[in-house]
Amino acid sequence: MAINKAMRAALKALSYPDLDVKKNYKLERQVISATSLRVSKLSYRIWDHKVPCGDHEVPVRIFNPPNDPPRRRMLLFFHGGGWVTGNIDSYDRVCATMARLTSHIVVSVDYRLAPEYKFPAAPEDCYAVAREVFSDPSLLGVQPQDITLIGDSAGGNLSAVVSLMARASGEFSPKRQILFYPATYYDHSETSPFPSVRENGTDYLLTSKRVCDFIDLYMSDPKDLCNPYFAPLMAKDLSHQPDTLIITAEYDPLRDEGEAYGRRLREAGNEALIHRMPDALHGFLSLPPTFVQVRRSYVMVNHFLNGEALCE
């Protein structure tokens, strides 16, 4: 259903363009934790695990699909939240739904958050978990070729970054990645080369100012902005990347940079499918699956995971 005038007015009122994320990120985390809907571990067969990474451990939560499929496959999921908010608890419902609708094991990664842990802490944590699940099929009974990286927003950024890190290290090679409205560039001010930053940057919940604040909280040094592990669009070489499905949202300041990343992947010789979800806002994956945008997304995701042509 298209966004009508009344809905536009409501969205504008809720967008809070002047909210200072830098001062209020701790409060925002508390609100997210307090309002997140948890799922029953018994009903969805989930359990927690920890992966060593240097001097600390990275918590992960593992969601089994309700019915054991004949072939065990995995989605390695990195959550959104601007690298500053969100956690495995706040994404419980998303991951449980994902496991149920895709018949995949979902492994959700609780990477360290900025500004307490700035770049490159989050990519390092995500890479450590990916290396473990790709390197040891006995852990969950899933072969490396049956593991797909997936993430939304900042998590989409981290999925793309882990793929780039894996190519550089040669330790493992993801075959597929799914990026929901990923952050792939570093500039979300008026100087951004992407029109969606200006077209959708004030009235659609996620504002360009919020994205700029998240970027400032995440980076350790201005030099990070040119690092492809910070902003994947800065990579000079995008060859030898996984088959990729990118789903963007029509009314999202990050829309154009996500689609630009898909085009860059194609130009480098990779398979990349790009779909702009009509009438969708940033973060729509967290909505219940009764929403048409979520239903359509999972149809596309399942076609992609099964190697089938997309039905748009």
Side-chain angles (χ1 to χ4, degrees):
M1 181 171 61
I3 299 177
N4 58 33
K5 290 183 178 180
M7 180 62 73
R8 286 180 188 275
L11 290 171
K12 185 173 183 177
L14 291 168
S15 295
Y16 302 121
D18 296 322
L19 181 67
D20 193 336
V21 176
K22 296 178 185 178
K23 292 182 178 179
N24 295 292
Y25 69 89
K26 290 185 178 179
L27 175 61
E28 188 167 337
R29 287 178 186 168
Q30 293 173 359
V31 171
I32 290 172
S33 296
T35 58
S36 297
L37 295 174
R38 301 295 305 280
V39 298
S40 166
K41 290 189 178 184
L42 293 176
S43 63
Y44 276 93
R45 299 166 58 203
I46 68 177
W47 66 96
D48 295 331
H49 175 61
K50 290 186 178 180
V51 173
C53 178
D55 61 357
H56 66 285
E57 294 181 313
V58 183
V60 300
R61 181 161 294 159
I62 303 165
F63 299 74
N64 256 350
N67 300 311
D68 287 324
R71 174 181 165 198
R72 292 178 67 81
R73 298 186 292 172
M74 179 195 300
L75 293 170
L76 181 57
F77 179 75
F78 308 125
H79 68 77
W83 309 279
V84 173
T85 67
N87 52 47
I88 52 177
D89 289 341
S90 65
Y91 271 79
D92 259 7
R93 287 279 178 182
V94 172
C95 292
T97 296
M98 191 177 293
R100 176 171 61 86
L101 295 183
T102 64
S103 295
H104 277 56
I105 298 168
V106 175
V107 177
S108 180
V109 181
D110 206 12
Y111 56 86
R112 289 172 293 172
L113 297 177
E116 293 88 348
Y117 301 97
K118 291 178 176 287
F119 176 83
E124 289 174 349
D125 287 357
C126 293
Y127 183 83
V129 176
R131 179 175 56 203
E132 175 166 295
V133 299
F134 274 94
S135 301
D136 190 354
S138 67
L139 289 174
L140 293 170
V142 180
Q143 296 300 314
Q145 65 269 22
D146 291 325
I147 300 172
T148 300
L149 304 179
I150 183 170
D152 72 318
S153 191
N157 167 283
L158 292 168
S159 298
V161 168
V162 167
S163 293
L164 292 172
M165 295 172 74
R167 183 190 63 182
S169 72
E171 292 183 300
F172 58 92
S173 181
K175 303 302 180 187
R176 290 167 304 278
Q177 61 180 355
I178 301 171
L179 316 179
F180 278 90
Y181 33 85
T184 65
Y185 197 58
Y186 65 85
D187 184 1
H188 302 87
S189 69
E190 285 297 314
T191 62
S192 169
F194 298 112
S196 63
V197 171
R198 290 173 290 280
E199 294 170 2
N200 304 322
T202 56
D203 299 337
Y204 299 100
L205 297 184
L206 178 66
T207 66
S208 57
K209 180 185 182 301
R210 283 177 62 80
V211 182
C212 290
D213 286 349
F214 285 139
I215 291 285
D216 287 346
L217 288 169
Y218 181 45
M219 72 176 179
S220 300
D221 185 280
K223 294 179 181 178
D224 295 339
L225 301 178
C226 296
N227 189 328
Y229 295 165
F230 188 95
L233 264 176
M234 299 305 294
K236 295 180 180 179
D237 178 12
L238 285 175
S239 63
H240 305 293
Q241 288 301 281
D243 292 347
T244 303
L245 171 62
I246 296 177
I247 300 178
T248 63
E250 181 178 4
Y251 299 109
D252 182 359
L254 303 187
R255 181 193 68 203
D256 293 348
E257 66 191 76
E259 295 172 3
Y261 191 66
R263 291 191 295 270
R264 283 281 313 280
L265 288 172
R266 288 175 181 170
E267 292 166 3
N270 306 287
E271 293 291 333
L273 301 164
I274 307 166
H275 179 81
R276 181 183 296 182
M277 189 61 66
D279 301 318
L281 304 178
H282 187 88
F284 73 84
L285 185 65
S286 296
L287 295 171
T290 51
F291 280 75
V292 63
Q293 292 89 350
V294 181
R295 292 201 310 271
R296 289 176 179 172
S297 292
Y298 277 110
V299 169
M300 286 187 283
V301 164
N302 282 316
H303 280 298
F304 177 74
L305 293 172
N306 294 325
E308 302 166 356
L310 288 183
C311 299
E312 299 187 11

